[in-house]
Amino acid sequence: MGDAKIPPVTVSFFIIFPTVALAFSVAILASPEPRSWAFFATLVITWIGLKGSSWFIYKSRDDVAKLEKVASATEEDIIVGSPSRDEEETTDEPNNSFQPQIVYNHTHLYKIIQGLMRPPILTIQICHASVLCLLITLSIRIFCVEKFGSHPANLDFGSNNVAFVNMFQSFTTMIQGVFAAFLTYPAVVGLIARVFTTSAGDSLLLKKPNVHVIWFCEVVAACMTIFPTASIIIAIAHNYVTFSNSPHLYKLAEWLIGYTLGITAGVYFSSIVQRVFLLVGGILNALENNGRNSDESIAYVIDKLVLPQTDNDDANPEDEKIVKYGFGKASEHKGYLVRVVEIVAELLTKLCYCVLAIATLLNGIFIGMTWNYDSEGDKASLPIICIFIGVAALVYVSIALATNRGGYI
């Protein structure tokens, strides 16, 4: 395998983001005005995380594009899964193991890893979309300063409806949002599953994962979305007449801040893992040697990402030519646990996400219905209801179209 050297900037970016996040978390807890710090810290941490992520993503794309130009000029690819000439000459016994004849280079490796690092489609189309709708809804509500006497910078929704006042409760709420988003990224789950694995390997990334941990993380991420759903339903059941000024708004804000930080951290670590995979695949050596001397490195990485066949795969001879790859998604590791456990985990995940989507729609509708809660006449505002429903429809449809076309969120 090629000797891939990780540049110092990779290590520094890997350390900077968690350090800054920790520093701001301490500042939030120690500050007499924690809500102002929470708002400011979210913006700064998000900017740093996305800035670091963009550096890794564009650097990887640029390196792969350079090698693609070299490959188009030399037309040198490698074959993964084919035996070497020495093996062909010395092996007398027939090899019945599945060895697909597939041509790979760094471009294919990049595309495989990019697909493995993307969150599940269901998570993007339902969970991420619902959170985006909630963010837009609460943003509209908190920026109506004259109407409700709110103060956006302090996360104050008016009438003593302020986020990050009870620090322990606020912190636990925010942490739920962080895990709800952070554990939806296969790069994160894959790393955790490889930390708790017993399989041997030269590198943590290239070990075989603990499948139980992957399924467990998916269920935990889904269960972390119960809080906003429960808050909305309780607010409706308790006193829906004052829903637009209910305390559930600041609780949602705390959870959404955590979710925003979780997405930022997830994208950040995904970009790093993707970059490290390319480095282990010998991309630096390939750049230095005009696209050469990377055959063994690519073959080594691809081999570690190929999933072993299950009983279901063996039962379908027609699917023998399909090579399956996996890293940190539960959907990639079906058939490795008891089927009943997988079905229950899958149903629970879908149920949590679907209920969150329904609660998101109800949140927008009831805010519009109680927009004029302090007036003596009609409390409902039909234009506000239409705006919230229209925003939700636009978000869900746009994200569904983007993901179906291969978009990444």
Side-chain angles (χ1 to χ4, degrees):
M1 184 182 68
D3 183 18
K5 298 179 180 179
I6 301 179
V9 68
T10 304
V11 180
S12 63
F13 265 112
F14 192 85
I15 295 174
I16 285 175
F17 178 76
T19 303
V20 172
L22 178 62
F24 272 104
S25 299
V26 173
I28 291 172
L29 293 174
S31 172
E33 292 292 338
R35 49 193 178 276
S36 299
W37 273 104
F39 183 76
F40 178 69
T42 302
L43 295 178
V44 173
I45 293 174
T46 301
W47 182 85
I48 293 175
L50 296 182
K51 189 70 175 178
S53 303
S54 64
W55 186 90
F56 286 111
I57 292 172
Y58 288 122
K59 181 63 176 174
S60 298
R61 288 179 181 175
D62 184 57
D63 289 346
V64 171
K66 290 178 182 177
L67 287 177
E68 196 170 19
K69 292 180 181 179
V70 174
S72 62
T74 59
E75 295 183 358
E76 289 186 2
D77 289 331
I78 67 168
I79 297 180
V80 175
S82 60
S84 62
R85 292 183 179 179
D86 295 336
E87 291 175 344
E88 290 177 345
E89 294 175 357
T90 58
T91 303
D92 297 329
E93 298 180 359
N95 188 357
N96 296 325
S97 63
F98 173 51
Q99 293 182 333
Q101 305 291 315
I102 304 175
V103 178
Y104 285 106
N105 56 24
H106 275 103
T107 302
H108 298 104
L109 177 61
Y110 174 75
K111 291 180 179 179
I112 291 171
I113 296 171
Q114 191 178 39
L116 294 178
M117 294 299 106
R118 190 170 82 164
I121 298 296
L122 178 70
T123 303
I124 299 174
Q125 293 182 343
I126 300 182
C127 187
H128 288 1
S130 299
V131 170
L132 182 56
C133 291
L134 288 174
L135 277 171
I136 295 174
T137 302
L138 262 65
S139 297
I140 294 174
R141 166 60 180 79
I142 199 170
F143 277 99
C144 293
V145 178
E146 295 184 1
K147 174 68 177 176
F148 297 99
S150 56
H151 194 291
N154 282 336
L155 297 179
D156 183 356
F157 289 87
S159 302
N160 295 321
N161 195 353
V162 187
F164 289 97
V165 174
N166 185 336
M167 286 314 301
F168 178 77
Q169 180 180 351
S170 300
F171 186 74
T172 54
T173 302
M174 185 180 72
I175 288 298
Q176 290 183 60
V178 170
F179 282 113
F182 194 53
L183 293 179
T184 61
Y185 285 87
V188 177
V189 176
L191 285 175
I192 297 174
R194 283 159 177 80
V195 169
F196 294 97
T197 187
T198 56
S199 65
D202 299 334
S203 171
L204 178 64
L205 286 178
L206 300 179
K207 291 182 178 181
K208 294 301 179 182
N210 187 329
V211 180
H212 296 83
V213 174
I214 292 178
W215 281 94
F216 176 75
C217 288
E218 178 174 280
V219 173
V220 169
C223 290
M224 291 295 104
T225 64
I226 294 176
F227 180 84
T229 302
S231 297
I232 294 171
I233 294 175
I234 291 173
I236 295 174
H238 179 67
N239 188 6
Y240 74 90
V241 177
T242 60
F243 187 85
S244 61
N245 204 36
S246 169
H248 88 284
L249 295 175
Y250 80 81
K251 296 177 182 178
L252 283 180
E254 294 169 350
W255 187 87
L256 289 172
I257 283 179
Y259 201 94
T260 302
L261 296 176
I263 285 184
T264 304
V267 173
Y268 177 82
F269 281 98
S270 297
S271 64
I272 291 178
V273 171
Q274 178 177 290
R275 179 63 180 170
V276 172
F277 264 122
L278 291 175
L279 293 174
V280 176
I283 195 168
L284 292 184
N285 291 337
L287 288 170
E288 293 175 357
N289 299 312
N290 238 359
R292 301 176 184 275
N293 301 328
S294 59
D295 299 12
E296 294 182 3
S297 300
I298 297 177
Y300 183 77
V301 174
I302 292 292
D303 180 64
K304 295 298 182 180
L305 292 175
V306 174
L307 294 174
Q309 289 186 324
T310 61
D311 296 336
N312 295 333
D313 296 330
D314 295 336
N316 298 311
E318 298 179 357
D319 296 337
E320 278 191 345
K321 296 183 179 180
I322 299 177
V323 180
K324 297 180 180 180
Y325 305 99
F327 188 74
K329 298 178 190 175
S331 59
E332 298 165 346
H333 296 83
K334 288 184 178 180
Y336 299 98
L337 297 182
V338 178
R339 186 57 183 160
V340 175
V341 175
E342 292 182 353
I343 292 175
V344 171
E346 200 170 4
L347 289 176
L348 180 60
T349 300
K350 292 180 179 179
L351 178 64
C352 290
Y353 288 159
C354 290
V355 173
L356 174 64
I358 295 172
T360 299
L361 295 174
L362 291 177
N363 182 69
I365 292 172
F366 274 88
I367 287 181
M369 289 177 60
T370 60
W371 190 259
N372 301 312
Y373 74 97
D374 55 348
S375 64
E376 296 181 358
D378 188 8
K379 300 181 184 300
S381 177
L382 185 59
I384 298 297
I385 297 176
C386 293
I387 289 174
F388 287 146
I389 293 178
V391 166
L394 179 63
V395 169
Y396 283 116
V397 171
S398 299
I399 291 181
L401 291 176
T403 52
N404 288 335
R405 295 176 181 176
Y408 180 88
I409 297 180

